[in-house]
Amino acid sequence: MENWDVRRVTPEDAGRMRALRLEMLADSPLAFLETLAQAAARPHESYRQRIRQSSEGFETAQFIADPGGPLIGHAGGVVLPDEPHCTVIFAVYLTPAHRGGKILGQLIEAVADWSVAAGRDELMLEVVCGNGRAVRAYEKLGFADTGVRLPHPTVPVLTELQMRRRA
């Protein structure tokens, strides 16, 4: 039963976004650039400001899966400065109880629709090498491994693979 809405964040979501962000970092610390300690130390107003910036315009956006209580999913998009036709998808997360269903596709399509509205026709994301579940999930959504491998931005011994698809 689908009992959530996938939509762009609003400033009123700041408190629930902060809670989801802390959950994301506790559950999947290698997937994000910030540590749980850094996020927990950040003042609430900082979350509110980030959400406000992501709630409108075409430079950056965040989308959430909102069942009316605690948030159950998130995906963001930002323009890639060196490739103005491309949106980078970032901070994709689903609560453990909601993995493997429709929410991932709905969040990615929300980012894709926003990207197209901004005039960008390509999506790109990066996944830690060895995270086969994520790679398979993104492949089901039309992403393909580009063959590009990059060092993990915070854990130098890890490598990320790049995936792309048309928006």
Side-chain angles (χ1 to χ4, degrees):
M1 181 162 136
E2 293 184 25
N3 56 352
W4 62 84
D5 291 319
V6 171
R7 61 175 177 79
R8 195 163 182 181
V9 295
T10 67
E12 292 76 28
D13 297 318
R16 293 187 304 150
M17 267 303 302
R18 183 178 192 276
L20 184 64
R21 180 70 178 172
L22 296 176
E23 177 184 330
M24 294 162 73
L25 294 166
D27 181 73
S28 306
L30 296 178
F32 307 104
L33 301 180
E34 179 178 46
T35 68
L36 178 58
Q38 290 167 330
R42 195 160 16 107
H44 183 72
E45 186 52 36
S46 172
Y47 283 92
R48 186 176 308 284
Q49 182 178 358
R50 184 178 289 182
I51 296 302
R52 191 175 304 116
Q53 292 169 342
S54 296
S55 68
E56 57 186 34
F58 291 108
E59 295 300 312
T60 186
Q62 294 184 55
F63 296 88
I64 53 175
D66 182 1
L71 300 175
I72 58 174
H74 175 273
V78 64
V79 63
L80 186 59
D82 296 339
E83 296 181 57
H85 68 282
C86 186
T87 293
V88 176
I89 296 176
F90 68 92
V92 177
Y93 179 76
L94 299 175
T95 60
H98 292 90
R99 294 176 184 160
K102 298 179 182 180
I103 299 173
L104 177 63
Q106 292 173 342
L107 286 165
I108 296 300
E109 291 312 312
V111 176
D113 291 346
W114 169 79
S115 183
V116 169
R120 296 188 294 271
D121 61 358
E122 188 172 15
L123 303 174
M124 187 269 286
L125 53 81
E126 295 166 353
V127 178
V128 173
C129 290
N131 188 346
R133 182 177 181 169
V135 170
R136 288 187 300 279
Y138 290 128
E139 286 173 340
K140 287 179 183 177
L141 297 175
F143 286 86
D145 185 344
T146 65
V148 173
R149 299 296 182 265
L150 304 160
H152 188 281
T154 60
V155 184
V157 298
L158 296 177
T159 302
E160 293 186 320
L161 63 90
Q162 184 186 89
M163 302 181 83
R164 291 182 183 247
R165 76 162 229 207
R166 303 293 293 170

